[in-house]
Amino acid sequence: MKKLARRSFVAGSAAVLFAPFGKTQAQSAWPNRSLRIVVPYPPGGQTDGIARAFGDYLARQVGKPVIVENRAGAGGVIGVTEAKRAEPDGTTILCTISSSLIQNRITVKDLPYDPERDFTYLTMVSGAGGPVVAAKKTGATNLREFIEYANKVGSLNWGSYGVGSTPHVLIETIAKQYGIRFQVIQYRGEAPMWNDLAGQTLDGAAGSYAAAAPVIQAGTGNLIGVVGSRLPPYPDTLTMTEQGAIGDFYELRAFTTFAVPVGTPKEIVEQLSAMLIQAGLDPKVQQMLSNFLLSSPTDFETTHRIFKRDSDVMLRILRELGVKPSE
Protein backbone atom coordinates (compact mmCIF):
# COMPACT_ATOMS: atom_id res chain seq x y z
CA MET A 1 0.00 0.00 0.00
CA LYS A 2 2.84 2.42 0.88
CA LYS A 3 4.57 1.79 -2.46
CA LEU A 4 1.39 2.42 -4.37
CA ALA A 5 0.73 5.62 -2.46
CA ARG A 6 4.28 6.81 -3.14
CA ARG A 7 4.02 6.18 -6.88
CA SER A 8 0.72 8.04 -7.03
CA PHE A 9 2.23 10.91 -5.06
CA VAL A 10 5.24 11.25 -7.35
CA ALA A 11 3.05 11.20 -10.45
CA GLY A 12 0.65 13.75 -9.06
CA SER A 13 3.33 16.12 -7.82
CA ALA A 14 4.18 17.02 -11.41
CA ALA A 15 0.76 18.54 -11.96
CA VAL A 16 0.46 22.29 -12.25
CA LEU A 17 -2.22 22.58 -9.56
CA PHE A 18 0.09 21.63 -6.74
CA ALA A 19 2.54 24.37 -5.88
CA PRO A 20 6.23 23.54 -5.38
CA PHE A 21 7.24 22.06 -2.07
CA GLY A 22 9.51 23.75 0.43
CA LYS A 23 12.68 22.15 1.79
CA THR A 24 13.70 18.84 0.33
CA GLN A 25 14.61 17.37 3.70
CA ALA A 26 12.04 17.00 6.46
CA GLN A 27 13.03 16.94 10.08
CA SER A 28 13.57 13.35 11.15
CA ALA A 29 11.75 14.07 14.39
CA TRP A 30 8.48 14.95 12.66
CA PRO A 31 6.09 15.36 14.23
CA ASN A 32 7.80 16.78 17.29
CA ARG A 33 4.52 18.18 18.65
CA SER A 34 0.80 17.65 18.38
CA LEU A 35 -0.97 18.06 15.04
CA ARG A 36 -4.06 20.16 14.43
CA ILE A 37 -6.73 19.81 11.79
CA VAL A 38 -8.46 23.09 10.95
CA VAL A 39 -12.12 22.65 9.99
CA PRO A 40 -13.81 25.80 8.61
CA TYR A 41 -17.25 24.64 9.77
CA PRO A 42 -19.02 24.05 13.12
CA PRO A 43 -18.71 20.87 15.22
CA GLY A 44 -21.17 18.09 14.56
CA GLY A 45 -21.39 18.35 10.78
CA GLN A 46 -20.12 16.00 8.11
CA THR A 47 -16.81 17.81 7.57
CA ASP A 48 -16.15 17.80 11.30
CA GLY A 49 -16.94 14.07 11.48
CA ILE A 50 -14.53 13.31 8.64
CA ALA A 51 -11.76 15.36 10.28
CA ARG A 52 -12.20 13.60 13.63
CA ALA A 53 -12.24 10.09 12.18
CA PHE A 54 -9.10 10.67 10.10
CA GLY A 55 -7.51 12.62 12.96
CA ASP A 56 -7.99 9.70 15.32
CA TYR A 57 -6.24 7.43 12.82
CA LEU A 58 -3.35 9.89 12.39
CA ALA A 59 -2.90 10.14 16.15
CA ARG A 60 -2.52 6.38 16.37
CA GLN A 61 0.05 6.38 13.57
CA VAL A 62 2.29 9.27 14.69
CA GLY A 63 1.98 8.83 18.45
CA LYS A 64 1.02 12.47 19.01
CA PRO A 65 -2.30 14.15 19.82
CA VAL A 66 -4.32 15.38 16.84
CA ILE A 67 -6.56 18.32 17.76
CA VAL A 68 -9.52 19.34 15.60
CA GLU A 69 -10.05 23.10 15.61
CA ASN A 70 -13.38 24.40 14.28
CA ARG A 71 -12.91 27.87 12.78
CA ALA A 72 -16.34 28.44 11.28
CA GLY A 73 -17.64 31.51 9.48
CA ALA A 74 -17.91 33.35 6.18
CA GLY A 75 -18.60 30.26 4.10
CA GLY A 76 -15.32 28.62 5.08
CA VAL A 77 -13.15 31.69 4.49
CA ILE A 78 -12.09 32.11 8.14
CA GLY A 79 -10.87 28.55 8.58
CA VAL A 80 -9.16 28.23 5.21
CA THR A 81 -7.34 31.53 5.80
CA GLU A 82 -6.24 30.32 9.23
CA ALA A 83 -4.74 27.19 7.67
CA LYS A 84 -3.03 29.19 4.92
CA ARG A 85 -1.23 31.36 7.49
CA ALA A 86 0.04 28.40 9.51
CA GLU A 87 3.71 27.45 9.61
CA PRO A 88 4.30 24.96 6.76
CA ASP A 89 5.88 22.35 9.02
CA GLY A 90 3.35 19.55 8.66
CA THR A 91 1.60 20.14 11.98
CA THR A 92 -1.38 22.05 10.56
CA ILE A 93 -3.76 20.27 8.19
CA LEU A 94 -6.81 21.80 6.52
CA CYS A 95 -9.97 19.71 6.15
CA THR A 96 -12.54 21.52 4.04
CA ILE A 97 -15.20 21.09 1.37
CA SER A 98 -15.18 21.88 -2.32
CA SER A 99 -17.28 25.04 -2.12
CA SER A 100 -14.71 26.85 0.03
CA LEU A 101 -12.06 26.15 -2.59
CA ILE A 102 -14.05 26.49 -5.82
CA GLN A 103 -17.28 28.49 -5.48
CA ASN A 104 -15.69 31.01 -3.12
CA ARG A 105 -13.44 32.15 -5.96
CA ILE A 106 -16.54 33.59 -7.63
CA THR A 107 -18.83 34.41 -4.72
CA VAL A 108 -16.36 36.04 -2.29
CA LYS A 109 -14.93 39.46 -3.02
CA ASP A 110 -11.17 39.77 -2.39
CA LEU A 111 -10.79 36.14 -1.33
CA PRO A 112 -7.79 36.11 1.06
CA TYR A 113 -6.38 32.83 -0.25
CA ASP A 114 -5.62 31.24 -3.60
CA PRO A 115 -6.81 27.62 -3.59
CA GLU A 116 -4.42 26.65 -6.39
CA ARG A 117 -1.27 28.30 -5.00
CA ASP A 118 -1.57 28.36 -1.23
CA PHE A 119 -2.08 24.65 -0.51
CA THR A 120 -0.80 21.21 -1.35
CA TYR A 121 -3.69 18.74 -1.51
CA LEU A 122 -3.16 15.31 0.04
CA THR A 123 -6.33 13.29 -0.60
CA MET A 124 -10.09 13.68 -0.78
CA VAL A 125 -13.32 11.77 -0.24
CA SER A 126 -16.39 12.32 -2.42
CA GLY A 127 -20.09 11.75 -1.94
CA ALA A 128 -21.90 9.02 -3.87
CA GLY A 129 -24.48 11.49 -5.10
CA GLY A 130 -26.46 14.53 -4.04
CA PRO A 131 -30.19 14.04 -3.42
CA VAL A 132 -32.73 16.29 -5.14
CA VAL A 133 -35.89 16.39 -3.04
CA ALA A 134 -39.41 17.68 -3.71
CA ALA A 135 -41.76 18.54 -0.85
CA LYS A 136 -44.54 16.03 -0.26
CA LYS A 137 -47.15 18.66 -1.19
CA THR A 138 -45.88 18.71 -4.79
CA GLY A 139 -46.81 15.06 -5.35
CA ALA A 140 -43.70 14.74 -7.54
CA THR A 141 -41.71 11.52 -7.46
CA ASN A 142 -39.36 12.22 -10.38
CA LEU A 143 -37.95 15.12 -12.39
CA ARG A 144 -40.71 15.12 -15.03
CA GLU A 145 -43.45 15.37 -12.41
CA PHE A 146 -41.58 18.14 -10.60
CA ILE A 147 -41.32 20.18 -13.81
CA GLU A 148 -45.05 19.65 -14.39
CA TYR A 149 -45.75 20.90 -10.87
CA ALA A 150 -43.54 23.94 -11.42
CA ASN A 151 -45.42 24.86 -14.59
CA LYS A 152 -48.75 24.41 -12.82
CA VAL A 153 -47.96 26.66 -9.82
CA GLY A 154 -46.07 29.24 -11.89
CA SER A 155 -43.02 29.68 -9.62
CA LEU A 156 -41.14 27.44 -7.17
CA ASN A 157 -39.79 28.23 -3.72
CA TRP A 158 -36.40 26.54 -3.78
CA GLY A 159 -34.02 26.10 -0.85
CA SER A 160 -30.29 26.85 -0.96
CA TYR A 161 -27.49 27.50 1.53
CA GLY A 162 -25.41 30.08 -0.26
CA VAL A 163 -25.04 31.94 -3.53
CA GLY A 164 -23.19 29.63 -5.91
CA SER A 165 -23.78 26.55 -3.73
CA THR A 166 -24.76 23.25 -5.32
CA PRO A 167 -28.54 23.66 -4.78
CA HIS A 168 -28.38 27.21 -6.16
CA VAL A 169 -26.52 26.13 -9.30
CA LEU A 170 -28.82 23.12 -9.64
CA ILE A 171 -32.06 25.11 -9.82
CA GLU A 172 -30.47 27.65 -12.19
CA THR A 173 -29.38 24.79 -14.45
CA ILE A 174 -32.80 23.11 -14.33
CA ALA A 175 -34.57 26.38 -15.09
CA LYS A 176 -32.29 27.09 -18.03
CA GLN A 177 -33.17 23.76 -19.65
CA TYR A 178 -36.85 23.51 -18.79
CA GLY A 179 -37.89 27.16 -18.68
CA ILE A 180 -39.43 27.07 -15.21
CA ARG A 181 -39.63 30.03 -12.83
CA PHE A 182 -38.34 29.96 -9.26
CA GLN A 183 -37.40 31.96 -6.20
CA VAL A 184 -34.31 30.92 -4.25
CA ILE A 185 -34.58 31.08 -0.45
CA GLN A 186 -31.08 31.25 1.04
CA TYR A 187 -30.40 29.62 4.43
CA ARG A 188 -27.48 29.58 6.83
CA GLY A 189 -26.74 25.91 6.42
CA GLU A 190 -28.65 22.80 5.41
CA ALA A 191 -30.50 22.06 8.65
CA PRO A 192 -32.95 25.01 8.57
CA MET A 193 -33.46 24.50 4.84
CA TRP A 194 -34.52 20.88 5.27
CA ASN A 195 -36.70 21.84 8.24
CA ASP A 196 -38.64 24.24 6.01
CA LEU A 197 -38.95 21.66 3.25
CA ALA A 198 -40.32 19.18 5.80
CA GLY A 199 -42.78 21.87 6.88
CA GLN A 200 -43.84 22.32 3.23
CA THR A 201 -42.68 25.95 3.12
CA LEU A 202 -40.33 25.04 0.27
CA ASP A 203 -41.24 23.18 -2.92
CA GLY A 204 -37.82 21.62 -3.33
CA ALA A 205 -34.19 21.58 -2.28
CA ALA A 206 -30.92 19.70 -2.76
CA GLY A 207 -27.86 18.99 -0.63
CA SER A 208 -26.02 16.22 1.17
CA TYR A 209 -27.53 12.80 1.78
CA ALA A 210 -26.74 12.88 5.51
CA ALA A 211 -28.79 16.07 5.98
CA ALA A 212 -31.61 15.11 3.60
CA ALA A 213 -32.08 11.51 4.77
CA PRO A 214 -34.41 12.27 7.72
CA VAL A 215 -36.76 14.23 5.45
CA ILE A 216 -36.83 11.46 2.85
CA GLN A 217 -37.28 8.72 5.45
CA ALA A 218 -40.10 10.61 7.18
CA GLY A 219 -41.92 11.01 3.87
CA THR A 220 -42.16 14.80 4.13
CA GLY A 221 -39.98 15.00 1.05
CA ASN A 222 -39.72 12.77 -2.03
CA LEU A 223 -36.39 11.86 -3.56
CA ILE A 224 -36.89 12.77 -7.23
CA GLY A 225 -33.33 12.51 -8.57
CA VAL A 226 -29.63 12.42 -7.78
CA VAL A 227 -26.75 14.64 -8.87
CA GLY A 228 -23.82 12.31 -9.54
CA SER A 229 -24.28 8.56 -9.21
CA ARG A 230 -27.25 6.68 -7.75
CA LEU A 231 -27.56 6.49 -3.98
CA PRO A 232 -27.05 2.97 -2.55
CA PRO A 233 -30.04 3.24 -0.15
CA TYR A 234 -32.28 4.22 -3.09
CA PRO A 235 -30.86 2.34 -6.09
CA ASP A 236 -34.07 2.69 -8.12
CA THR A 237 -34.03 6.50 -8.07
CA LEU A 238 -32.56 7.67 -11.37
CA THR A 239 -29.84 10.30 -11.61
CA MET A 240 -30.72 13.67 -13.11
CA THR A 241 -28.78 12.74 -16.24
CA GLU A 242 -30.69 9.48 -16.59
CA GLN A 243 -33.93 11.50 -16.46
CA GLY A 244 -32.90 13.77 -19.31
CA ALA A 245 -31.18 16.65 -17.53
CA ILE A 246 -28.33 17.96 -19.68
CA GLY A 247 -25.01 19.39 -18.54
CA ASP A 248 -21.69 18.36 -17.01
CA PHE A 249 -22.75 19.94 -13.71
CA TYR A 250 -24.84 16.85 -13.01
CA GLU A 251 -21.73 14.67 -12.94
CA LEU A 252 -20.04 16.65 -10.17
CA ARG A 253 -19.83 15.32 -6.63
CA ALA A 254 -19.16 17.39 -3.54
CA PHE A 255 -15.86 16.47 -1.95
CA THR A 256 -13.97 16.97 1.30
CA THR A 257 -10.22 17.33 1.00
CA PHE A 258 -7.18 17.42 3.26
CA ALA A 259 -4.40 19.91 2.51
CA VAL A 260 -1.32 21.53 4.03
CA PRO A 261 0.10 25.03 3.51
CA VAL A 262 2.37 25.37 0.48
CA GLY A 263 6.03 25.06 1.44
CA THR A 264 5.51 22.01 3.65
CA PRO A 265 8.55 19.73 3.10
CA LYS A 266 8.06 17.07 0.45
CA GLU A 267 8.82 14.15 2.77
CA ILE A 268 6.22 15.29 5.28
CA VAL A 269 3.63 15.82 2.54
CA GLU A 270 4.36 12.35 1.25
CA GLN A 271 4.00 10.78 4.70
CA LEU A 272 0.78 12.58 5.46
CA SER A 273 -0.73 11.78 2.07
CA ALA A 274 0.11 8.08 2.46
CA MET A 275 -1.28 7.95 6.01
CA LEU A 276 -4.54 9.63 5.06
CA ILE A 277 -4.99 7.29 2.09
CA GLN A 278 -4.27 4.26 4.28
CA ALA A 279 -6.80 5.53 6.81
CA GLY A 280 -9.44 4.33 4.37
CA LEU A 281 -8.59 0.77 5.44
CA ASP A 282 -9.20 1.50 9.14
CA PRO A 283 -12.50 0.02 10.44
CA LYS A 284 -13.49 3.21 12.30
CA VAL A 285 -12.87 5.38 9.26
CA GLN A 286 -14.65 2.90 7.01
CA GLN A 287 -17.71 3.03 9.26
CA MET A 288 -17.76 6.83 9.11
CA LEU A 289 -17.40 6.80 5.32
CA SER A 290 -20.23 4.28 5.07
CA ASN A 291 -22.50 6.38 7.31
CA PHE A 292 -22.03 9.43 5.07
CA LEU A 293 -22.03 7.42 1.80
CA LEU A 294 -18.51 8.63 0.98
CA SER A 295 -15.82 7.14 -1.26
CA SER A 296 -12.48 5.81 -0.04
CA PRO A 297 -9.64 8.39 0.05
CA THR A 298 -8.21 9.10 -3.40
CA ASP A 299 -4.52 8.95 -4.25
CA PHE A 300 -2.51 12.10 -4.91
CA GLU A 301 -2.87 12.01 -8.69
CA THR A 302 -6.62 11.36 -8.64
CA THR A 303 -7.09 14.14 -6.10
CA HIS A 304 -5.45 16.54 -8.54
CA ARG A 305 -7.51 15.35 -11.49
CA ILE A 306 -10.84 15.71 -9.67
CA PHE A 307 -9.93 19.11 -8.22
CA LYS A 308 -8.93 20.45 -11.64
CA ARG A 309 -11.97 19.03 -13.44
CA ASP A 310 -14.50 20.18 -10.85
CA SER A 311 -12.92 23.62 -10.61
CA ASP A 312 -13.03 24.12 -14.38
CA VAL A 313 -16.67 22.98 -14.67
CA MET A 314 -18.09 24.82 -11.67
CA LEU A 315 -16.24 28.10 -12.31
CA ARG A 316 -17.41 28.10 -15.93
CA ILE A 317 -21.02 27.46 -14.92
CA LEU A 318 -20.99 30.18 -12.25
CA ARG A 319 -19.61 32.70 -14.74
CA GLU A 320 -22.21 31.69 -17.35
CA LEU A 321 -24.95 32.19 -14.77
CA GLY A 322 -23.60 35.63 -13.96
CA VAL A 323 -22.98 34.87 -10.28
CA LYS A 324 -21.21 37.79 -8.58
CA PRO A 325 -19.62 38.27 -5.16
CA SER A 326 -22.05 39.30 -2.47
CA GLU A 327 -21.41 42.78 -1.11
Side-chain angles (χ1 to χ4, degrees):
M1 181 68 182
K2 290 183 179 179
K3 291 182 180 179
L4 287 173
R6 182 180 179 86
R7 283 200 297 270
S8 297
F9 177 90
V10 172
S13 64
V16 176
L17 172 64
F18 299 98
F21 299 115
K23 306 174 199 175
T24 56
Q25 294 296 324
Q27 294 180 354
S28 59
W30 179 87
N32 55 14
R33 58 190 174 95
S34 61
L35 306 182
R36 67 169 180 154
I37 300 178
V38 178
V39 177
Y41 301 96
Q46 179 172 303
T47 310
D48 180 68
I50 292 170
R52 293 181 188 278
F54 278 83
D56 177 70
Y57 178 83
L58 283 179
R60 285 181 271 134
Q61 299 307 302
V62 302
K64 299 286 185 185
V66 176
I67 302 165
V68 175
E69 293 185 7
N70 299 91
R71 298 296 180 93
V77 173
I78 292 174
V80 178
T81 303
E82 167 76 12
K84 168 196 169 181
R85 293 171 177 167
E87 183 71 22
D89 59 3
T91 62
T92 296
I93 304 166
L94 172 67
C95 177
T96 192
I97 59 177
S98 48
S99 62
S100 68
L101 303 171
I102 301 177
Q103 283 96 318
N104 278 5
R105 288 186 244 177
I106 298 292
T107 62
V108 177
K109 187 176 182 180
D110 300 323
L111 190 67
Y113 55 86
D114 185 331
E116 294 191 6
R117 297 185 179 183
D118 290 336
F119 297 99
T120 299
Y121 297 91
L122 307 173
T123 188
M124 67 170 58
V125 295
S126 302
V132 182
V133 183
K136 180 181 180 181
K137 68 176 183 179
T138 68
T141 60
N142 55 46
L143 177 59
R144 178 183 57 79
E145 292 175 353
F146 189 63
I147 298 302
E148 290 174 352
Y149 170 83
N151 289 326
K152 182 174 69 174
V153 298
S155 180
L156 297 171
N157 284 330
W158 182 267
S160 175
Y161 43 83
V163 176
S165 64
T166 295
H168 179 203
V169 175
L170 174 62
I171 193 62
E172 293 273 10
T173 305
I174 291 174
K176 186 176 180 180
Q177 178 177 350
Y178 295 99
I180 62 173
R181 299 179 64 185
F182 64 91
Q183 180 179 358
V184 175
I185 313 298
Q186 297 288 4
Y187 292 84
R188 292 178 176 238
E190 283 195 70
M193 178 186 76
W194 291 117
N195 285 339
D196 274 5
L197 187 137
Q200 309 304 299
T201 301
L202 296 175
D203 296 303
S208 69
Y209 174 73
V215 174
I216 300 169
Q217 293 164 1
T220 52
N222 299 328
L223 180 64
I224 63 170
V226 184
V227 176
S229 53
R230 295 195 192 189
L231 291 169
Y234 301 93
D236 294 332
T237 299
L238 301 180
T239 67
M240 297 294 281
T241 301
E242 289 172 329
Q243 296 184 69
I246 299 172
D248 44 12
F249 164 77
Y250 295 108
E251 300 306 315
L252 300 185
R253 294 164 177 78
F255 63 74
T256 301
T257 186
F258 290 89
V260 288
V262 67
T264 301
K266 176 180 177 180
E267 287 78 6
I268 293 177
V269 172
E270 186 174 28
Q271 282 182 266
L272 274 172
S273 181
M275 286 181 188
L276 290 167
I277 292 166
Q278 291 165 2
L281 300 176
D282 179 72
K284 292 182 179 179
V285 174
Q286 287 182 334
Q287 183 59 56
M288 179 276 300
L289 295 174
S290 176
N291 290 343
F292 289 129
L293 299 184
L294 298 172
S295 66
S296 296
T298 57
D299 61 43
F300 197 94
E301 186 176 24
T302 302
T303 299
H304 160 259
R305 179 177 56 79
I306 294 174
F307 192 105
K308 182 70 168 61
R309 180 202 66 191
D310 287 16
S311 295
D312 289 349
V313 171
M314 182 61 81
L315 293 176
R316 173 180 55 77
I317 291 173
L318 290 174
R319 291 186 180 110
E320 289 175 351
L321 294 174
V323 175
K324 302 290 184 182
S326 55
E327 297 297 335

